[in-house]
Amino acid sequence: AAAMAQVEGLLSVDYEVSGKVQGVFFRKYTQGEAKRLGLVGWVQNTSHGTVRGQIQGPTARVRELQEWLRKTGSPQSRISRADFTNEKEITALEHEEFQILK
């Protein structure tokens, strides 16, 4: 997997998801989906009712999670919008795993 990642390149993206995304296990499902895709980063609730975080990993996998954050989310969530910022290529992952931050 490491060799593949070097060819493809690693991507880091910040995200913020708006809608009914708190109190619906959104963070837990996001963490589960990220782990399934082999991504690292973090997710947390904000004081203004959104969920934000950072995703890092192979570009194609990051794109899959972006799509999931845009369209799917947790079963009870209602996503109104997902914003992605600070997208950049990175040479190494900056996180060990995908964490839920309080």
Side-chain angles (χ1 to χ4, degrees), residues 9-102:
L10 298 171
L11 203 62
S12 176
V13 184
D14 296 345
Y15 62 89
E16 185 164 11
V17 185
S18 310
K20 185 188 167 195
V21 292
Q22 289 192 8
V24 290
F25 300 104
F26 198 90
R27 291 174 302 167
K28 183 170 165 261
Y29 276 89
T30 301
Q31 181 187 47
E33 191 65 13
K35 287 188 165 174
R36 187 183 74 76
L37 291 167
L39 299 170
V40 300
W42 53 274
V43 59
Q44 73 179 165
N45 285 340
T46 69
S47 57
H48 49 272
T50 64
V51 169
R52 69 181 195 104
Q54 187 175 70
I55 317 164
Q56 294 186 346
T59 303
R61 297 290 177 87
V62 170
R63 294 282 177 248
E64 278 188 65
L65 190 60
Q66 284 180 290
E67 193 68 3
W68 185 89
L69 287 166
R70 231 184 243 116
K71 301 216 167 98
T72 309
S74 66
Q76 303 294 312
S77 67
R78 293 286 174 274
I79 299 163
S80 57
R81 62 182 289 181
D83 294 307
F84 300 100
T85 54
N86 298 330
E87 184 172 304
K88 59 181 189 283
E89 284 187 18
I90 53 174
T91 50
L93 299 174
E94 297 160 352
H95 308 282
E96 300 275 311
E97 56 181 2
F98 197 93
Q99 293 182 297
I100 296 175
L101 303 182
K102 295 287 178 263

